Structure formats: structure tokens, C-alpha cells
Amino acid sequence: MNKRYKPLLLSALILAPTTYAASPELSLSALAGIDSNPYRLSELFIIDEAAFMKYKLKAKIPLTKNFSIKAKGMFQDFDDSAAEWGDNHNFDLRLDYRTGKAANRGGMHLTYRQVDKTYVSRTKAVTRTYYGFPLDDRHDYKQTNFNAYKNFKISKSFKNKIEANYRLRDYSDFEHPKITDYDYQSIIIADTLTHKISRKHKQALRLSYEDRQFINRMQKDSEGDNIDNTDLAYQYLEAGYQYSYKQSKKLSHKFFAEVTSRTDNGSGYYDTFTSEIGLGSDYQWQKKSSFSLDYSYRDFEYLREPERIIGLDLEEDYTSERKHTLKLANVTHLPKWVNDKTYFEVEYKYVNADSNKQEYQYDRHIFQTGIRMDF
């Protein structure tokens, strides 16, 4: 596993604020859990559940009234005897600028992100090699992201947020020409209109467009063969709706629905359509304990006939997926004699995924519990 981002994490933590008086914020979590299917394998394989430890870190360091540095990291380590390739780590370091009051706030942020996760083939249940090249780091990447936004208060009930985003993602490099290069850069434009219906009801509509240009990846024809001397690009159109209802001081509900259309700039071989809906509730069942329940359903499909498997374009290994996700969580604020800001967390997550290919049909149960401390 790649640990190169650890010095960045340490640097973020030891940076001292300037003369600005606001105090740094720090949150640390340590969770122990069990994952019934770490590699999302189908019943075609023998699946071993695996214990893991997960550590989370969040930090915010105010520099001035308008500037701050934020850091976030997650380190998940599995029991090697059951899931030796399951470990995964990610880290974000962000410089944040904002100005203005909340209703008309504007700002920008620059974020560096690094993700480290071993690739395990879901058709072989092992890590893979291709022409002698190990593919363990197939989906590791480093990403730079620049975002600018502006809020506008239209009226007492309506406000609007406009965002522009530039993203550059650099995946692990391989020398062999038949190993697809996923590196890309993209520009994303989004607009979110929020309507406060009443004190208890609120809704929002979000529209976005993304132009994603791959740096060294070719288009494919309708049969799945590469088209020489071409450059692949995707265009994404997304529409999303959110609704929230605060039933009482202790109970609230939410609903969302979104659709995403992806088209390529060639034959349409990569064209897809995704739809997702979800709902959830949050309930404060005791003075210091809150319970949440969330469910979502996602339907993803390619808009072409079932394809031939070509090389290592791993995202093409299935043409459809229908996924149900159920999540239950409870957070309890522990007594002050333990620590003024210490929380006991319990979470259970169930995923059921169906696909037109048996290798991608799976069930997964994840249970984790532990302590979070805020400073």
C-alpha cells in the first residue's frame, strides 16, 4: 500500500494558525467491524468475512476570517488472514476561502486527494497481472480539484447556488499499451435552487453538466474495438431533487431522486443511464442518542447491446446493476466524565446487488462500532 500521503497529513496537523483567534478543530474516530464480503464477490466463490479496524481523522485550521485549511483521512486495515488485499486508505487536504454572509456567501477551495485501494478481480477473486504487469494499484489515483461557488438570496423562500469545478485525476501508470489509461480532466457546472416551503418543509433542485476529457484513451466503435487516432470524452447531464421534512424537534425525514445520462463523443459504446432514489429518517430517541435509517435504490445500465469483454476496460465488465442499500446508525453522546465531546457510534449496512452477469451479483453486510472524539 502506498503511504506517501502520510507526510501531508502530519504537515496539516502541525500547521499553526496565524494571528486569527479561532481555534483549530480536530475529530478522531476508531472503529472495529466485520465485513461479510470485502471484495463484493458473487456466490460463485468462497467468501470469507473479515474483521477490520477503521481510523478516521478530520481537522480544520482557521488561518484568517476567510481562509482555512482542512484535512480528512480514512485508514481501513483488514485482518490479513481473511482479506489480505482489503486495506484501503484515502486522504484529502483542502485550502478553503469563503466570504460574505451565509445567504449570499461565495468562495472557492483547492483540494488534493489521494486514494489507495488494491484492485481485486471480481471474476477471478484474486489480484491480477496482465502481460506480466501486476494490477494491484489499478484504481489508485491522485486528484486535484478546484471549485468556485456563489450563493444568491432571491427571496425569503428561494436561494440559488452556482458552482464551477475543475478536476484533474491521475491514475497509476502502466507501460503496456493495452492497459487502459483512466487519467482525465473535467469541467463541471452546476446550479442548485433551494425552496424553503415552510419552517418544516424544504426542497431543492440541482442540475449539472460535466465535460470529461481523457488524456490518453481512445474511442471504441460499436463492436468494442479501439478507434486509432481518437481521444475519448464523456458528457454527463444530471438532474437531482431533494426534499426534507422536519416533523418535530426530534424527528426528521428526507427523500432524494436523481438521474444521470452519460454520452461519449464516438459511437455511443460508453453511453449509460443511471437513476437513483433514496429516503431516510433521523430520530433523537434519547436526550443524547440519535438513530438514523437510510435506504437507496440505484439502477445503472449501458445503452448498448451486451458487449464483448475487451482487454482491461474494467468498467465494461457488466452492462447493468441494480443495487439496494440499507443503512442503520446510532450515535450516543457519552457522559462528560468520559470526555466533553466523545461519542459512541454503531452502524450496520446491507447491500444487495443484481446484475445481468452472475459474477457481479452479491450480498454484503458491514457492521462497525467505535468511539469518536472531537476537540
Side-chain angles (χ1 to χ4, degrees), residues 23-40:
S23 300
E25 300 172 12
L26 178 65
S27 177
L28 300 171
S29 300
L31 304 165
I34 298 247
D35 190 332
S36 70
N37 192 354
Y39 307 136
R40 298 177 299 155

Side-chain angles (χ1 to χ4, degrees), residues 67-226:
F67 283 95
S68 64
I69 290 177
K70 297 178 180 179
K72 180 172 66 174
M74 190 282 293
F75 314 87
Q76 186 172 20
D77 294 304
F78 279 86
D79 175 7
D80 288 345
S81 63
E84 62 177 308
W85 306 304
D87 296 358
N88 61 95
H89 309 145
N90 60 67
F91 172 71
D92 291 63
L93 183 61
R94 169 171 155 171
L95 177 63
D96 203 6
Y97 169 77
R98 65 179 189 173
T99 184
K101 296 181 179 180
N104 293 288
R105 178 164 293 152
M108 59 188 71
H109 52 256
L110 179 66
T111 306
Y112 172 80
R113 178 174 176 81
Q114 189 155 331
V115 173
D116 182 3
K117 182 176 183 178
T118 301
Y119 162 65
V120 177
S121 168
R122 295 170 65 188
T123 60
K124 303 293 183 181
V126 294
T127 57
R128 290 180 60 179
T129 59
Y130 191 68
Y131 285 88
F133 289 90
L135 300 176
D136 297 27
D137 298 331
R138 178 76 172 128
H139 293 295
D140 292 359
Y141 67 83
K142 292 171 285 189
Q143 177 177 292
T144 302
N145 196 84
F146 177 76
N147 175 277
Y149 66 92
K150 183 69 173 74
N151 288 298
F152 299 92
K153 184 177 180 180
I154 301 173
S155 68
K156 185 177 180 180
S157 301
F158 287 91
K159 66 177 182 179
N160 196 57
K161 181 180 182 181
I162 297 175
E163 299 175 77
N165 186 83
Y166 172 75
R167 178 182 301 157
L168 177 63
R169 183 174 290 188
D170 179 19
Y171 284 89
S172 297
D173 296 323
F174 296 90
E175 298 293 333
H176 200 281
K178 289 189 176 182
I179 301 179
T180 305
D181 188 349
Y182 289 153
D183 295 358
Y184 71 83
Q185 57 182 347
S186 67
I187 294 176
I188 305 167
I189 305 295
D191 184 89
T192 304
L193 178 65
T194 301
H195 176 209
K196 186 177 181 181
I197 304 170
S198 67
R199 186 172 56 88
K200 293 186 175 183
H201 301 266
K202 186 167 67 173
Q203 60 184 348
L205 176 66
R206 185 177 190 271
L207 302 174
S208 71
Y209 168 77
E210 177 182 354
D211 179 44
R212 180 178 298 185
Q213 301 285 333
F214 289 90
I215 295 173
N216 187 25
R217 188 176 179 183
M218 290 182 284
Q219 300 173 10
K220 288 186 183 294
D221 62 26
S222 59
E223 298 297 317
D225 293 313
N226 288 333

Side-chain angles (χ1 to χ4, degrees), residues 204-321:
L205 176 66
R206 185 177 190 271
L207 302 174
S208 71
Y209 168 77
E210 177 182 354
D211 179 44
R212 180 178 298 185
Q213 301 285 333
F214 289 90
I215 295 173
N216 187 25
R217 188 176 179 183
M218 290 182 284
Q219 300 173 10
K220 288 186 183 294
D221 62 26
S222 59
E223 298 297 317
D225 293 313
N226 288 333
I227 303 175
D228 294 334
N229 302 315
T230 60
D231 296 305
L232 179 65
Y234 292 160
Q235 284 77 45
Y236 290 86
L237 287 174
E238 180 180 312
Y241 172 79
Q242 292 182 343
Y243 170 78
S244 62
Y245 167 50
K246 189 172 181 62
Q247 183 174 338
S248 66
K249 288 184 178 181
K250 295 184 177 182
L251 181 62
S252 62
H253 311 281
K254 56 193 173 186
F255 168 81
F256 77 88
E258 62 182 40
V259 293
T260 304
S261 172
R262 181 179 78 185
T263 57
D264 69 25
N265 62 337
S267 67
Y269 184 82
Y270 290 105
D271 291 359
T272 64
F273 185 80
T274 306
S275 58
E276 185 173 5
I277 61 171
L279 56 121
S281 295
D282 295 288
Y283 176 55
Q284 185 181 347
W285 58 280
Q286 286 187 348
K287 184 178 180 180
K288 294 187 176 182
S289 294
S290 297
F291 174 79
S292 64
L293 171 65
D294 295 281
Y295 166 79
S296 65
Y297 171 74
R298 180 178 183 269
D299 190 315
F300 167 85
E301 63 177 339
Y302 278 90
L303 302 180
R304 52 175 160 78
E305 296 299 320
E307 78 292 341
R308 297 185 287 129
I309 300 301
I310 306 296
L312 283 170
D313 284 347
L314 302 176
E315 68 177 348
E316 300 166 49
D317 282 351
Y318 56 86
T319 56
S320 69
E321 182 185 67

